[in-house]
Amino acid sequence: MADDRSDDRHHGRSHGGGRGRQHGQDSQRHDSRGGRGETPGRHLQQGGRHPQHRDRDSQPRGRDSGRRAPRANLPRTLAWEVLRDVEVNDAYANLLLPSKLARTHLNGLDAGLATELTYGTLRGIGFYDAVIDAAAQRPAAEIDPPVLAALRMGAHQLLSMRVADHAAVSETVGVIKAHHEQRVGGFVNAVLRRISERSRDEWVELVVGDADEARRLEITTSHPGWIIRALRQALVAHGRSAEELPQLLDADNTPAAVCLSVLPGLADREAVAADWGTPTPLSPLGVHLDHGSPLEVPEVRAGTARVQDEGSQLVALALTAVEAPAGAWLDMCAGPGGKTAVLGARARQTGDRVIAADVSDHRADLVEDSTRQLADVVEVFTADGREFGHQHAEQFSRVLVDAPCSGLGALRRRPEARWRRRPSDVNELGPVQRELLASAIAAVMPGGVVAYTTCSPHHAETLLVVEDALRAAGIGVELLDAAAVLAEIAGREAEHFASAEVAGGRCAQLWPDVHGTDGMFLALLRKKPTDDADPAQHAGASQHAGAGEGTDTGEAAGPGQDAGAGEDVGSAS
């Protein structure tokens, strides 16, 4: 249900080859909402049984008769299992932890503890590994990954949580003893006791030593150096001061509030806020969840509300708020479907249709699940966005390109991403981003609008891509004022969202430390009408035109068409 699912687009897998298939085909597709990344029986690895399934009769006899390994604390066990699988199997914490919490029926304070242990530890790995290096008197990288996961989790409790030292040590040792030999528990116990002998500030001074300011920032904020440099450059490129870098890095290490998107026309935002939380300050759809879990909210279970960052809501709403001619809308990189759901809800209100395309069958399944209450409006295809737009040229009035990117704007939600990403990833994604945006410009009809968005503020993934696209398109495409559009939606001043001015228009950039959202970038581009007509004459057309009004191109049936109907995709989808 959540837009915080692991997102393949941030690993460059949302753009390869694909096959077309319509919404509703293959009713036996798997339910992809839980468990990805966790191999059945994973918790039995490393020579131990899961503490909940220990055979008491199998305990050693003789001198140790009557002695049993301690029953491991369940929240810590779940957190350790996730940390271990993130390290060993490249699993995604935001997929793995919810499935474990659901399977064990852990909730309330225990679920909160497991969540903080997991995400807090992942955020602080850079600092905790430096501490472990010193306390263990050996490089953390040389420690067996499952054992290192336990040490990191223990260090987080000792240095960043209000957990009594004896509890942090003994409970963590209990987890590792339940899965490993006793001597491993002794090693973890010794290292954690050494860590407990100093405060966090004392450890900072010890591990930083006489390092330069750049290295100090890497350790104390737990960000790789290349990401720190990229974010400093991004601040300047988008019109902020490089001196604001520390507060941006701190925001990356601050847990994000759980935010719901209440789909317009399907659920009542005020009612959801009254029962469960607080209306968000920027998005007219959002509610910050103040208590309970998302699946306790009836609207979430019904599919009329969903977990989605406020920034993601805003960039999707921006596409719907700009004047455009009548016609179908296209979400070109739709998975996992959060923004598609927002577009679909708005399109139902205006009498339009949404075509959602993604290259991955799995991600297309997620889109269908996200839009199951909008199946009459949203049609889902498996297709390569780089080709789809050219294949259906000028058939869409609004096109969303939520491009695959480094995800540097969402590090607070996906903390392990900072340790997996490399500078080369940005270079490899650049051509894909440019091809997708070029395809979107081809797909949009004259007078129509393209929204290009990333959850990264990286200069090379945002402004440079837009500048190249405008240069390639020539005078036929203009850049709109995205900051002004967001300002109108949120009821704020445009400067609050402003990024750089480009070719007479202006982009928008959201920031975790300023807006409390993920670091979403937005550019809005309009294809100029071929007759040089004022685009304003198209205003409201989508609200008043009948669903059957479109331009018959005489071409073969496109997505969403009945092959015998002879109708254009703009009317039949």
Side-chain angles (χ1 to χ4, degrees):
M1 300 294 303
D3 212 20
D4 288 338
R5 285 189 183 95
S6 166
D7 201 337
D8 288 344
R9 69 164 49 97
H10 305 303
H11 300 269
R13 292 194 293 270
S14 183
H15 55 268
R19 58 181 177 80
R21 70 106 160 83
Q22 291 185 338
H23 186 110
Q25 183 177 332
D26 187 8
S27 61
Q28 300 303 312
R29 278 196 303 274
H30 62 278
D31 181 353
S32 51
R33 284 173 288 179
R36 197 180 87 179
E38 180 182 15
T39 303
R42 175 76 57 195
H43 53 275
L44 302 181
Q45 286 187 350
Q46 307 300 334
R49 286 185 172 141
H50 191 284
Q52 267 59 49
H53 298 91
R54 183 175 301 282
D55 181 356
R56 295 181 180 273
D57 293 334
S58 67
Q59 298 299 321
R61 300 296 182 181
R63 286 187 308 168
D64 294 328
S65 179
R67 294 180 58 191
R68 305 185 188 280
R71 183 181 180 87
N73 176 284
L74 184 55
R76 287 177 173 85
T77 297
L78 297 186
W80 172 78
E81 289 177 347
V82 174
L83 294 170
R84 177 199 63 195
D85 284 356
V86 166
E87 183 72 14
V88 175
N89 302 317
D90 284 339
Y92 299 104
N94 63 327
L95 275 177
L96 199 51
L97 181 62
S99 70
K100 288 180 177 291
L101 295 178
R103 190 185 69 237
T104 57
H105 305 289
L106 207 64
N107 51 37
L109 293 177
D110 283 342
L113 175 59
T115 301
E116 172 56 28
L117 289 171
T118 300
Y119 288 101
T121 300
L122 289 171
R123 290 186 188 99
I125 281 177
F127 173 56
Y128 299 142
D129 280 4
V131 172
I132 292 167
D133 285 349
Q137 298 180 340
R138 58 189 287 195
E142 295 180 2
I143 299 173
D144 188 37
V147 179
L148 180 59
L151 290 173
R152 289 167 171 170
M153 184 175 73
H156 179 62
Q157 296 169 75
L158 290 168
L159 302 179
S160 301
M161 294 178 67
R162 284 179 284 189
V163 176
D165 287 358
H166 68 87
V169 174
S170 63
E171 294 289 357
T172 304
V173 170
V175 170
I176 204 67
K177 280 186 175 180
H179 296 78
H180 285 263
E181 299 173 3
Q182 293 297 303
R183 63 179 181 82
V184 176
F187 171 71
V188 171
N189 181 70
V191 174
L192 292 182
R193 287 191 179 280
R194 289 192 199 108
I195 293 175
S196 71
E197 293 170 357
R198 291 182 170 88
S199 69
R200 182 186 179 95
D201 288 344
E202 290 171 335
W203 275 114
V204 168
E205 291 308 311
L206 180 65
V207 300
V208 170
D210 58 358
D212 61 22
E213 185 57 30
R215 178 58 181 156
R216 184 183 185 91
L217 205 57
E218 287 183 46
I219 295 173
T220 57
T221 68
S222 283
H223 283 72
W226 78 270
I227 290 181
I228 293 175
R229 293 188 292 274
L231 291 177
R232 180 185 288 111
Q233 182 187 34
L235 285 169
V236 175
H238 293 290
R240 295 181 64 185
S241 169
E243 295 182 359
E244 297 176 84
L245 178 63
Q247 70 189 52
L248 175 57
L249 299 176
D250 286 343
D252 280 347
N253 290 331
T254 302
V258 178
C259 186
L260 302 182
S261 173
V262 183
L263 298 178
L266 276 71
D268 185 341
R269 180 205 190 199
E270 299 306 317
V272 173
D275 292 339
W276 295 98
T278 308
T280 51
L282 301 177
S283 168
L285 309 183
V287 173
H288 280 138
L289 196 64
D290 293 340
H291 60 89
S293 68
L295 287 178
E296 294 179 65
V297 180
E299 290 82 358
V300 173
R301 293 197 303 271
T304 59
R306 53 179 293 108
V307 177
Q308 184 180 39
D309 180 72
E310 190 178 11
S312 293
Q313 300 172 36
L314 286 170
V315 296
L317 287 172
L319 178 61
T320 73
V322 183
E323 296 171 350
W329 306 354
L330 172 63
D331 188 349
M332 185 172 281
C333 307
K339 299 178 185 68
T340 314
V342 173
L343 295 180
R346 285 296 196 206
R348 175 182 278 177
Q349 293 177 321
T350 62
D352 292 302
R353 300 275 296 176
V354 177
I355 298 296
D358 200 278
V359 70
S360 161
D361 276 328
H362 168 70
R363 292 170 60 79
D365 289 334
L366 297 180
V367 177
E368 289 190 344
D369 178 63
S370 298
T371 60
R372 64 185 185 276
Q373 295 293 346
L374 297 160
D376 59 320
V377 178
V378 178
E379 195 166 8
V380 182
F381 286 81
T382 302
D384 186 339
R386 296 174 298 177
E387 301 170 356
F388 194 87
H390 297 289
Q391 293 166 346
H392 305 284
E394 299 193 344
Q395 294 192 23
F396 298 95
S397 63
R398 305 174 194 269
V399 181
L400 174 64
V401 182
D402 187 18
C405 68
S406 64
L408 297 188
L411 296 181
R412 60 187 189 145
R413 295 188 185 277
R414 302 185 184 93
E416 67 269 35
R418 71 185 75 182
W419 311 116
R420 291 178 176 171
R421 280 298 186 193
R422 298 290 182 269
S424 58
D425 296 334
V426 176
N427 296 331
E428 292 170 2
L429 287 168
V432 178
Q433 293 158 350
R434 286 165 174 78
E435 290 176 44
L436 285 167
L437 184 50
S439 180
I441 292 172
V444 75
M445 62 181 63
V449 178
V450 173
Y452 174 81
T453 184
T454 64
C455 62
S456 168
H458 198 295
H459 187 209
E461 300 185 284
T462 56
L463 297 170
L464 292 184
V465 173
V466 172
E467 290 171 359
D468 286 351
L470 290 170
R471 190 178 302 112
I475 62 173
V477 175
E478 61 180 338
L479 185 68
L480 305 181
D481 190 342
V485 175
L486 289 183
E488 184 175 352
I489 294 170
R492 301 290 182 92
E493 295 294 326
E495 291 302 319
H496 188 59
F497 305 102
S499 171
E501 294 186 4
V502 179
R506 183 165 56 169
C507 301
Q509 179 65 53
L510 301 174
W511 300 95
D513 60 313
V514 175
H515 305 98
T517 69
D518 288 346
M520 302 296 299
F521 170 81
L522 174 67
L524 295 170
L525 302 88
R526 186 190 301 279
K527 181 179 286 186
K528 295 179 180 178
T530 54
D531 58 0
D532 293 326
D534 182 357
Q537 72 180 349
H538 299 282
S542 60
Q543 282 82 355
H544 305 295
E549 295 178 5
T551 303
D552 187 352
T553 63
E555 297 176 346
Q561 289 180 257
D562 179 343
E567 292 181 336
D568 174 87
V569 64
S571 59
S573 62

